Amino acid sequence: MTIYDISEKAGVSIATVSRVLNGSDNVSAQTRQKVLSVIQECDYTPNAFARGLGLNSMNTIGILCADSSDLYLANAIYHIERELRQNSYNCILCCTGYGLEDKQKYLNLLVNKKVDSVILVGSNFISDNDAENDYIREAAKEIPVLLLNADFDCDNVYCSLCDDFKSALQATTYLIESGIQDILYLYSSKSYSTLRKLSGYQSALTQKGLPLRTEYMQYFPGNHADLPSIADFLSSLDHTLQYKAVVAADDNLAIGAVKFAHKKGLSIPHELSIIGYNNSILSTCCDPELTSVDNRLESLCHHIVTTLIGILNDKEMPQKVIFSGELIKRGTTR
Amino acid sequence: MTIYDISEKAGVSIATVSRVLNGSDNVSAQTRQKVLSVIQECDYTPNAFARGLGLNSMNTIGILCADSSDLYLANAIYHIERELRQNSYNCILCCTGYGLEDKQKYLNLLVNKKVDSVILVGSNFISDNDAENDYIREAAKEIPVLLLNADFDCDNVYCSLCDDFKSALQATTYLIESGIQDILYLYSSKSYSTLRKLSGYQSALTQKGLPLRTEYMQYFPGNHADLPSIADFLSSLDHTLQYKAVVAADDNLAIGAVKFAHKKGLSIPHELSIIGYNNSILSTCCDPELTSVDNRLESLCHHIVTTLIGILNDKEMPQKVIFSGELIKRGTTR
């Protein structure tokens, strides 16, 4: 039962039904009465949010992200919200934090509010421990779920992602081919995307016949927005590590490596090469500027909105779309 | 007419009315019928968004910001959204861009959707041309309007702001007292907040008996996220300008100045001192790290949510609250 059925049964236009639902004064008492009767008769409950909206904005999309102050996530929200609104969709944003319980809670909240679809922004919504992904499977039974930069196979789940494995593999290969063999991989989350990058780093080494050494894969346990402590972390590492390059899982960590090099008096890129990830505003902040992987965020966002609109208009849409990243070369590599 | 009146007239609990409005199956046909009759009889249109929500989350707040990918605005949204949600409010985010027409359009949209209140994030919603502020006056006739970091006198408008005039005055005075007289002020927007900073800069010079020279107040016309072009802009300035310090209206512009100094081989802070604004993540990115004004964003956000909850609970709240910024001294000043 939709607003279209109500309009037909009541013999009035959709706009009139919408006006009645919106409590507009611009409807005669008689017409209002007729529409309300049909609604009651049909036991029609309009979409919670559609009720407040005009004809061209009948859909509300929930957007979940862990932390809207994270540079990558903030940019994603910006692009998605803009594009949805240009298409007359409304957005409800929830910042969930990184805990599973809160992610579950907010996703349920949105599903219960009968949003038309949800977009989960960032790969941290998917866990390696598959049981922890059940909350997404449950939601997908109710409404389409779209994942930005995560990969998850499930009915009614659609993924737009950048191939982080390939991007990290290419970045690492680029360093090896420039003559560097001792490369540190630095990461600060265990999200799907971060672990894919780690695999890419490992594959590059393996393909070139280089050894995998766990001490060259370092997990920074602190807050990746605290740049000075990233530099301190690198300073604190075992001095027997003889790396000549750092591949970082994001630009924050890479900036930490730049700061570390400055502190230690290492010349960049001659004594230490550094590659970041995200090609964010941070990549042009430092001196020299940061070589970084452009992970096509804007294209991903554009695609996810296109997919969403297609689904809501009953079109057949691909369940997975994968973009390739590009290494943007600047001053921190040769 | 509220949900409470409906509950009383129908002789059922508020929770039951809520369940009917939400289309829950957990209500007998008879009760549903009774509630719907009362609703119809009373010509009651529930708040568009409240209809979808449970009892503890009946309020929806509209958040407008020009650009959620801007660092300052992204952080503001993060803090406001988190705190509202912790208090069981819902948020609808609109990214309006900087054009007056779009700002008007989205504000009207939210008011028409009967959100309970709107928060306008960032001083760019207020214009120096007072006629351009009429859209806010109109909205304030319908619902409470809260402004983050803008100052605007109007009934039903509440402001939480940082005293940007005083902060810029203190920052500039600090430079003058460290022995620097030739100070460039660099800005890239003409928002209320940016112009207040400009006044603070001017007052500091005047108070110390120094001349005001318009060529030392430079407006950067480009995109302030494009850091290299900020550096280029400084390089392109008239070489007769003999400034020894830059006070920048935000950290982006200050980082541009750091890049300019590196390019030109100027030593920081000995040949060029630099002060940024916002104390954002950028301030710890560069080398040396940036001295920057902490403009108390988190406190402002906390306060604006407290004010909002007070207003919606019919408490008397102050119409204006002003925080003082603090100069965080790092390596770009002596």
Side-chain angles (χ1 to χ4, degrees), chain A residues 44-102:
Chain A
Y44 167 61
T45 308
N47 171 302
F49 296 98
R51 287 179 291 197
L53 317 178
L55 258 187
N56 295 319
S57 54
M58 307 254 292
N59 294 290
T60 295
I61 311 302
I63 301 179
L64 268 76
C65 80
D67 172 358
S68 66
S69 69
D70 175 270
L71 285 174
Y72 177 81
L73 300 176
N75 274 305
I77 290 165
Y78 173 72
H79 291 303
I80 292 173
E81 197 279 342
R82 289 286 291 187
E83 197 146 347
L84 283 173
R85 196 160 303 280
Q86 278 160 13
N87 286 284
S88 297
Y89 290 77
N90 297 288
C91 300
I92 296 206
L93 172 70
C94 293
C95 302
T96 63
Y98 290 95
L100 176 62
E101 206 173 301
D102 281 332

Side-chain angles (χ1 to χ4, degrees), chain B residues 207-257:
Chain B
Q207 284 179 14
K208 296 287 183 184
L210 297 171
L212 296 184
R213 294 167 296 182
T214 51
E215 69 274 24
Y216 282 72
M217 304 166 206
Q218 284 286 343
Y219 176 74
F220 169 68
N223 173 0
H224 83 150
D226 181 358
L227 307 177
S229 66
I230 298 167
D232 292 343
F233 173 76
L234 288 172
S235 301
S236 75
L237 289 185
D238 184 352
H239 294 298
T240 61
L241 297 184
Q242 295 294 327
Y243 57 90
K244 299 276 177 248
V246 174
V247 171
D250 64 35
D251 286 340
N252 295 47
L253 296 168
I255 294 286

Side-chain angles (χ1 to χ4, degrees), chain B residues 285-302:
Chain B
C285 266
C286 54
D287 185 35
E289 294 181 5
L290 198 60
T291 295
S292 183
V293 174
D294 177 354
N295 51 359
R296 310 292 193 197
L297 181 57
E298 204 170 337
S299 300
L300 259 65
C301 292
H302 174 70

Side-chain angles (χ1 to χ4, degrees), chain B residues 49-110:
Chain B
F49 296 98
R51 287 179 291 199
L53 317 179
L55 261 188
N56 295 319
S57 54
M58 306 256 292
N59 293 291
T60 295
I61 311 302
I63 301 179
L64 269 77
C65 80
D67 171 358
S68 67
S69 68
D70 175 90
L71 285 174
Y72 177 82
L73 300 176
N75 274 304
I77 290 165
Y78 173 72
H79 291 301
I80 292 173
E81 197 279 341
R82 289 285 291 185
E83 197 147 349
L84 283 172
R85 196 161 303 281
Q86 278 160 11
N87 287 284
S88 296
Y89 290 77
N90 296 288
C91 300
I92 295 207
L93 172 69
C94 292
C95 302
T96 62
Y98 290 94
L100 176 63
E101 208 173 301
D102 282 333
K103 290 191 270 187
Q104 272 175 329
K105 181 177 122 195
Y106 289 124
L107 184 55
N108 289 339
L109 193 78
L110 288 174

Side-chain angles (χ1 to χ4, degrees), chain A residues 149 160-164 167 277 294-296 300 322-325:
Chain A
N149 213 28
S160 297
L161 60 152
C162 176
D163 191 339
D164 292 317
S167 301
Y277 211 100
D294 177 353
N295 52 359
R296 310 290 193 200
L300 259 65
I322 301 175
F323 288 83
S324 288

Side-chain angles (χ1 to χ4, degrees), chain A residues 137-301:
Chain A
R137 291 188 184 89
E138 287 304 312
K141 287 180 191 163
E142 307 286 333
I143 50 174
V145 175
L146 291 93
L147 302 181
L148 186 96
N149 213 28
D151 193 358
F152 186 63
D153 284 315
C154 175
D155 268 4
N156 215 20
V157 172
Y158 298 81
C159 303
S160 297
L161 60 152
C162 176
D163 191 339
D164 292 317
F165 171 85
K166 197 168 104 187
S167 301
L169 186 147
Q170 284 174 342
T172 310
T173 302
Y174 176 74
L175 291 170
I176 298 170
E177 292 182 347
S178 76
I180 302 172
Q181 302 205 338
D182 300 305
I183 303 170
L184 188 80
Y185 178 74
L186 184 61
Y187 61 117
S188 72
S189 97
K190 288 170 181 170
S191 71
Y192 167 79
S193 147
T194 306
L195 297 175
R196 290 287 292 162
K197 293 172 202 168
L198 177 58
S199 300
Y201 157 87
Q202 292 170 337
S203 285
L205 295 177
T206 306
Q207 285 180 12
K208 295 289 183 182
L210 297 171
L212 297 183
R213 293 167 296 182
T214 50
E215 68 275 23
Y216 281 74
M217 305 164 205
Q218 284 287 342
Y219 175 74
F220 168 68
N223 172 1
H224 84 150
D226 180 358
L227 307 176
S229 67
I230 299 167
D232 291 343
F233 173 76
L234 288 172
S235 302
S236 76
L237 289 184
D238 184 351
H239 294 297
T240 62
L241 297 183
Q242 295 294 328
Y243 57 90
K244 298 275 179 251
V246 174
V247 171
D250 65 35
D251 287 339
N252 295 46
L253 295 167
I255 295 285
V258 171
K259 294 178 82 68
F260 161 72
H262 286 329
K263 243 169 75 178
K264 217 183 152 186
L266 296 174
S267 107
I268 302 173
H270 306 291
E271 295 174 279
L272 187 66
S273 293
I274 300 165
I275 297 183
Y277 211 100
N278 289 347
N279 197 34
S280 69
I281 190 170
L282 300 190
S283 63
T284 58
C285 266
C286 55
D287 184 38
E289 293 181 5
L290 199 59
T291 295
S292 183
V293 174
D294 177 353
N295 52 359
R296 310 290 193 200
L297 181 57
E298 203 169 338
S299 300
L300 259 65
C301 292

